[in-house]
Amino acid sequence: MPFFLMATCGKIIDLRNLLANRFPSTPPQAGTRLITGLSFLDQTIGGGLPKGAITELISPRRSAGSASLIHALLHAAQRGRYFLALIDGRDSFDPQLPGGNACLRHLLWVRCSKALDAIKAADLLLRDGNFPLVIVDLVLNPPPDLSEIPQTTWYRLQRLVERAPAACLVMTRQGMVSSAQLKIVLENSWTLETFEDESAISRLQIRVQRSQLHRQATQIGGAS
């Protein structure tokens, strides 16, 4: 079973001590990207999720496949032998995974009911630095809840992830992460039959909406 924590204003303060006791430090993968091993994702975004950066994944429909992608990334973490942190903004994650639940041992599941609690958890986890991949799932949080997040918050999280050997994936219903260096969109409208097909994840359609990564790499290369 996953290690999970209900994130409330009181309990979020104790998260760091719990992390130190439960999760050992994980050596980061070499390179500037976290290779997920999911070809439909890695090939689309240039080789993997960028480390030291926020990637925003926009899921405009409820049936676009964001939950299936979380499951696939969790299996990828098991294969890569690293821990994944899922900050569940609406306590909606289903731990009954296709293909078995052995990969749940690689998961820290932070269960939230409000977007602001999810942001507080992300702040602590990115400071902790033990997780190569931190996912913040805000897809099911209602717009009034999301509107309470100041835009300056995203820039603060970006500064934190720049110092950590981690990739940060923020999942939203509509684009809202102003500091995201990479924005991708799920372009799927799955039916119930699609979700029952275990091979459907390999056909997930992803489109790059915006990327600042190539321009930043060019600027760095030109300055060296």
Side-chain angles (χ1 to χ4, degrees):
M1 290 298 293
F3 178 74
F4 70 88
L5 176 73
M6 292 296 295
T8 63
C9 290
K11 291 182 180 179
I12 203 71
I13 300 173
D14 299 324
L15 180 55
R16 183 178 295 278
N17 291 333
L18 289 170
L19 291 173
N21 292 331
R22 176 62 175 83
F23 289 92
S25 297
T26 305
Q29 291 188 4
T32 59
R33 290 181 180 265
L34 179 69
I35 301 171
T36 69
L38 304 175
S39 59
F40 63 87
L41 176 62
D42 291 342
Q43 291 176 9
T44 301
I45 62 178
L49 292 168
K51 297 179 185 179
I54 294 177
T55 297
E56 182 177 19
L57 183 139
I58 302 167
S59 182
R61 305 178 195 76
R62 287 183 178 271
S63 57
S66 61
S68 296
L69 181 58
I70 291 175
H71 290 171
L73 288 170
L74 185 51
H75 283 291
Q78 180 191 23
R79 292 191 296 271
R81 299 180 181 273
Y82 59 84
F83 291 117
L84 179 156
L86 170 62
I87 303 170
D88 189 355
R90 200 64 176 171
D91 196 11
S92 60
F93 174 70
D94 181 2
Q96 299 300 315
L97 303 181
N101 294 337
C103 59
L104 293 178
R105 292 193 294 268
H106 293 259
L107 172 66
L108 171 69
W109 177 20
V110 184
R111 303 169 64 182
C112 307
S113 59
K114 296 181 179 179
L116 284 178
D117 284 340
I119 295 300
K120 292 175 183 176
D123 187 289
L124 286 175
L125 288 172
L126 291 173
R127 292 176 190 273
D128 182 75
N130 276 340
F131 296 89
L133 177 56
V134 176
I135 300 175
V136 185
D137 183 7
L138 302 175
V139 169
L140 294 182
N141 289 79
D145 188 24
L146 297 173
S147 67
E148 296 180 3
I149 303 174
Q151 281 299 311
T152 53
T153 296
W154 300 118
Y155 290 97
R156 186 181 77 247
L157 291 182
Q158 173 56 34
R159 288 194 295 271
L160 288 175
V161 76
E162 285 174 355
R163 305 186 195 118
C168 181
L169 179 65
V170 181
M171 295 182 162
T172 61
R173 181 73 69 195
Q174 296 180 337
M176 59 179 289
V177 183
S178 51
S179 65
Q181 287 92 329
L182 176 64
K183 285 179 178 275
I184 54 181
V185 182
L186 287 179
E187 296 189 320
N188 308 277
S189 185
W190 285 1
T191 64
L192 182 59
E193 290 74 17
T194 306
F195 286 109
E196 292 175 347
D197 180 2
E198 292 186 3
S199 66
I201 187 66
S202 64
R203 302 191 298 274
L204 202 69
Q205 298 295 312
I206 297 175
R207 172 175 58 86
V208 175
Q209 183 183 81
R210 189 193 77 190
S211 176
Q212 298 177 348
L213 299 171
H214 177 72
R215 179 165 59 85
Q216 290 174 347
T218 301
Q219 290 174 342
I220 294 172
S224 61

